[in-house]
């Protein structure tokens, strides 16, 4: 499949955008008129640069206010068009996007529109140019791709065809099925954009909230299957208007865009498997991988080693040992859960890190296939040193910098790498902690959509509907990524801008590891005996709990005694408590009773407020500089 990207998707100058698109692996670009107008480079220089980079110039856009105009405006339209076609000849591109008229149209007559497009087609043909007519979702008289195609048919000109844009079709709720009936030779160009489902005017939605395929809520695979069945064989291009993308690193955004197309290509190919179709796009498959079976390990990097290991001890973990070749790395074990702790002070890094989640190990069926798939999706590999006889662990960087490792399943549940720490290779069946329930990862707002696509495409996790959680610094957007069987759950949170500037801990928004346990009351009592001061829960919460649920007062009193929180849904109950925060990390201990499926979201505001109080209270205002070894 030939991949392309509109320069409007990317930040920077036209030349920077071209270099980024080529480095990411795109076959071509759409040149957005404004990018060329403000460039000091001549059209000829841009043409030569594209050739040097191996990029095709697939489209020049947009040409506006072309059809549906009164006769007095036709000469001006043709004059503008002739100038643009001469420019395209200099640039070396042969297809122009013509948008349905939104401003100057005064004649609601398909025959008139077709006649005017035919006149433009005659002029375009003289310059060797084709016109791809696109129905904008807010077009004055033409806002439907089927309507646009009828006008193209009326124009009946070899230089006039259709441009299909997934946003303009899916945002209006149009059925993409009729795409299959459009003659493939009359589909001159295809643009793709996904978007979250929002209740707002379609123009604002389009201009600010488009995202790459797989990062929104549209059925992009359904759209693509219709396109493949049509027999279309031209470029498939990304056209994304998004405020965050325009501010993000240009190379990073380009890689994210190509990843989205490769993922969509693979998903479309799988959706069409076994069906008799004309796959003239030649869809390529990614290496097939199963969803992860669970968490193999969680790695925490800390400049506050004593406090971190003390907290793990309070939660019931035992030291498994120190790594045989990396003395600054140790593992803490409880039941099937392994927490690798890296002493950032002793690690050879330029600056000691705060306590943070540095890496996640996922148990997968075929690590080699998983790494191959990630590489084809342009994920950056982790450079890892290992000594003689040590296990080979391969991984990639997630968008937020977290290292993601692919670990082979072990028949006895004990990973081979654990022997490098001299750790006991027998699981403790009596351990209170029974697994990693979920890992909650905080994402920078500008890379949130990228993270959703990364975990969807690389790890085969499914994105659940997003929700907003209120906190003292504003709403926190949360979206759960999970495996179908729930063995891996990963809520992704994006903090409000205010929290990034004046955060809870003076660094980044906090994230946490949630430990599943068989008896949260016993786990809480053990932690308190070992000196844990859990995150405090106010009296008002427990009074509200009695009002919301028909609970026994004695039971609620027992929750309050241990600062336990409670939630319930149709499937069961959820009891949990939180630790304080070290650096950007805290722990949660949870017990699911019955078939409870959530994450205690109604209790999140209680946790956020308690964390805010701790970080903004008198003790927090007197805390030492970041990296100093004192509790927060």
């Amino acid at each position: 499949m030939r991949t392309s990207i509109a320069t409007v998707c990317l930040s920077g100058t036209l030349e920077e955008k071209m270099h980024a698109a080529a480095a990411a692996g795109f076959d071509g670009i759409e040149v957005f008129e404004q990018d060329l107008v403000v460039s000091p480079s001549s059209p000829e220089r841009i043409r030569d640069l594209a050739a040097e980079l191996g990029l095709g110039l697939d489209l020049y856009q947009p040409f506006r206010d072309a059809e549906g105009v009164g006769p007095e405006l036709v000469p001006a339209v043709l004059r503008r068009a002739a100038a643009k076609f001469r420019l395209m000849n200099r640039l070396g591109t042969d297809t122009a996007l013509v948008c349905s008229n939104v401003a100057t149209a005064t004649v609601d007559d398909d025959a008139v529109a077709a006649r005017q497009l035919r006149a433009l087609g005659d002029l375009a043909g003289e310059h060797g140019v084709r016109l791809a007519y696109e129905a904008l979702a807010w077009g004055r008289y033409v806002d439907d791709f089927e309507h646009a195609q009828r006008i193209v048919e009326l124009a009946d000109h070899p230089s006039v065809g259709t441009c299909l844009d997934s946003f303009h079709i899916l945002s209006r709720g149009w059925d993409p099925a009729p795409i299959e009936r459009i003659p493939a030779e009359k589909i001159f160009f295809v643009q793709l954009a996904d978007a979250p489902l929002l209740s707002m005017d379609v123009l604002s939605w389009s201009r600010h909230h488009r995202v790459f395929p797989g990062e929104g809520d549209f059925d992009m695979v359904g759209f693509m299957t219709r396109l493949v069945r049509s027999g279309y064989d031209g470029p498939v291009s990304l056209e994304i208007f998004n405020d965050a993308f325009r501010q993000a690193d240009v190379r990073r955004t380009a890689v994210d865009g190509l990843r989205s197309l490769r993922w969509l290509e693979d998903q479309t190919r799988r959706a069409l498997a076994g069906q008799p179709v004309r796959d003239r796009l030649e869809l390529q498959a990614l290496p097939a991988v199963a969803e992860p079976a669970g968490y193999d390990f969680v790695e925490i990097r800390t400049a506050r080693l004593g406090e971190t290991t003390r907290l793990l001890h309070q939660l019931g973990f035992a030291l498994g040992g120190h790594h045989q070749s990396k003395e600054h790395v140790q593992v803490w074990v409880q039941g099937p859960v392994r927490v690798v702790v890296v002493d950032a002070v002793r690690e050879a890094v330029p600056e000691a890190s705060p306590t943070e989640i540095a890496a996640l190990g996922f148990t997968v069926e075929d690590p080699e296939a998983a790494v191959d798939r990630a590489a084809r999706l342009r994920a950056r590999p982790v450079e890892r040193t290992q000594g003689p006889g040590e296990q080979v662990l391969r991984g990639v960087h997630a968008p937020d910098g977290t290292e993601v490792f692919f670990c082979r399943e072990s028949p006895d549940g004990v990973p081979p790498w654990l022997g490098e720490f001299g750790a006991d290779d027998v699981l403790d069946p009596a351990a209170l902690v029974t697994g990693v329930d979920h890992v909650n990862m905080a994402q920078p707002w500008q890379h949130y959509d990228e993270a959703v696509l990364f975990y969807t495409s690389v790890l085969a996790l499914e994105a659940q509907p997003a929700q907003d959680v209120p906190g003292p610094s504003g709403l926190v957007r949360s979206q759960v990524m999970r495996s179908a069987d729930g063995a891996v759950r990963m809520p992704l949170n994006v903090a409000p801008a205010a929290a990034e500037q004046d955060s809870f801990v003076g660094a980044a928004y906090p994230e946490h590891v949630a430990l599943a346990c068989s008896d949260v009351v016993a786990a809480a009592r053990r932690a308190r005996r070992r000196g844990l001061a859990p995150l405090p829960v106010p009296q008002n919460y427990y009074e509200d709990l009695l009002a919301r649920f028909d609970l026994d007062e004695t039971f609620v009193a027992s929750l309050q005694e241990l600062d336990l929180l409670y939630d319930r849904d149709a499937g069961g109950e959820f009891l949990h408590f939180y630790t304080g925060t070290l650096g950007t990390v805290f722990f949660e201990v949870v017990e699911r009773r019955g078939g409870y499926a959530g994450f205690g979201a109604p209790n999140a505001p209680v946790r956020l407020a308690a964390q805010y109080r701790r970080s903004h209270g008198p003790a927090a205002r007197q805390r030492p500089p970041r990296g100093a070894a004192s509790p927060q």
Side-chain angles (χ1 to χ4, degrees), residues 67 109-111 113-115 117 133 142 146-156 160:
E67 91 299 359
D109 187 320
D110 287 0
R115 186 167 62 249
L117 283 181
Y133 181 52
V142 181
E146 292 184 86
H147 189 182
Q149 177 57 25
R150 289 195 298 271
I151 294 175
V152 167
E153 291 170 355
L154 283 172
D156 191 23
V160 179

Side-chain angles (χ1 to χ4, degrees), residues 40 140 189 253 311 345 367 422 427 458 506 521 525 544 567 570 620 622:
R140 177 166 293 182
F189 207 74
T253 304
L311 179 58
V345 175
L427 295 179
V458 173
V521 172
R525 293 192 186 282
D544 181 67
D567 191 32
Q622 298 172 14

Side-chain angles (χ1 to χ4, degrees), residues 202-525:
V202 70
L203 178 57
S204 298
W205 190 10
S206 173
R207 285 287 175 258
H208 301 285
H209 300 286
R210 296 193 194 194
V211 290
F212 291 133
E215 297 178 353
D217 298 317
F218 288 167
D219 182 7
M220 300 300 297
V221 174
F223 178 90
M224 281 295 294
T225 57
R226 303 297 190 180
L227 181 67
V228 172
R229 291 193 185 103
S230 76
Y232 174 74
D233 63 353
V236 176
S237 185
L238 298 168
E239 188 194 42
I240 311 297
F241 298 89
N242 185 292
D243 298 339
F245 289 9
R246 293 180 181 124
Q247 299 175 54
D249 177 77
V250 60
R251 290 180 178 267
R252 180 171 183 157
T253 304
V255 167
D256 187 32
L258 188 75
R259 178 181 298 140
S260 76
L261 285 181
R262 292 304 182 208
W263 170 81
L264 181 60
E265 184 179 20
D266 175 73
Q267 293 296 302
T268 303
R269 190 176 189 275
R270 295 180 189 282
L272 291 169
Q275 300 181 29
V277 294
R278 293 181 296 166
D279 181 9
R280 296 173 63 186
L281 284 176
E282 298 183 357
L283 301 173
Q284 301 299 309
L286 294 170
V289 296
E291 61 185 15
Y295 289 96
D296 190 74
F297 67 87
V298 175
E299 181 179 302
I300 293 176
R301 181 179 291 111
T302 181
R304 303 164 66 173
L305 182 63
E307 293 170 82
T308 302
T309 56
R310 186 181 308 119
L311 179 58
L312 288 170
H313 167 72
Q314 290 166 344
L315 293 174
F317 284 84
L319 176 62
H322 292 79
H323 193 271
Q324 62 187 17
S325 65
K326 305 178 183 73
E327 276 295 313
H328 63 286
V329 180
Q330 52 187 263
V331 66
W332 288 73
V333 181
Q334 183 173 186
V337 179
R338 277 84 56 176
V339 178
V340 176
V341 179
V342 179
D343 183 355
V345 175
R346 296 179 60 191
E347 191 178 34
V349 293
E351 183 178 321
S353 304
T355 305
E356 62 182 2
I357 297 176
L360 296 173
F362 292 93
T363 303
V364 298
E365 185 178 86
D366 188 341
E368 289 73 24
V371 170
D372 187 12
R373 179 185 177 93
R376 297 197 194 189
L377 289 166
R378 309 292 289 175
R380 183 165 57 94
V382 173
E383 301 296 332
R384 180 178 180 271
T385 59
Q386 59 189 52
E390 294 178 358
Q391 292 293 315
V392 176
L393 287 181
R394 297 178 65 190
V396 296
H397 290 274
D400 66 352
T402 304
E403 297 175 353
V404 172
F405 288 96
F406 307 104
C407 308
R408 190 177 302 280
E409 291 183 281
S410 177
D412 59 2
V414 179
W417 59 261
L418 201 57
E420 297 170 16
F421 292 83
D424 190 351
D425 60 358
V426 179
L427 295 179
D428 179 8
L432 286 176
V433 168
T434 59
V436 174
D437 185 87
H438 61 275
V439 178
N440 189 308
M441 303 294 290
Q443 302 298 311
W445 67 270
Q446 65 270 39
H447 302 309
Y448 180 81
D449 295 317
E450 182 186 357
V452 172
L453 175 63
F454 174 86
Y455 288 110
T456 297
S457 60
V458 173
L459 278 178
L461 300 178
E462 298 175 0
Q464 308 302 301
Q467 59 180 316
D468 292 331
V469 177
S473 297
L475 289 178
V476 177
R477 182 185 177 195
S478 181
Q479 187 162 21
V480 176
M481 309 298 299
R482 59 167 286 164
S483 57
D485 63 1
V488 170
R489 305 181 182 95
M490 184 184 299
L492 302 179
N493 287 356
V494 59
E500 291 190 2
Q501 297 167 6
D502 181 21
S503 75
F504 290 92
V505 293
Y509 195 74
E511 49 196 13
H512 72 273
V513 179
L515 304 168
C517 77
S518 56
D519 187 340
V520 72
V521 172
R525 293 192 186 282

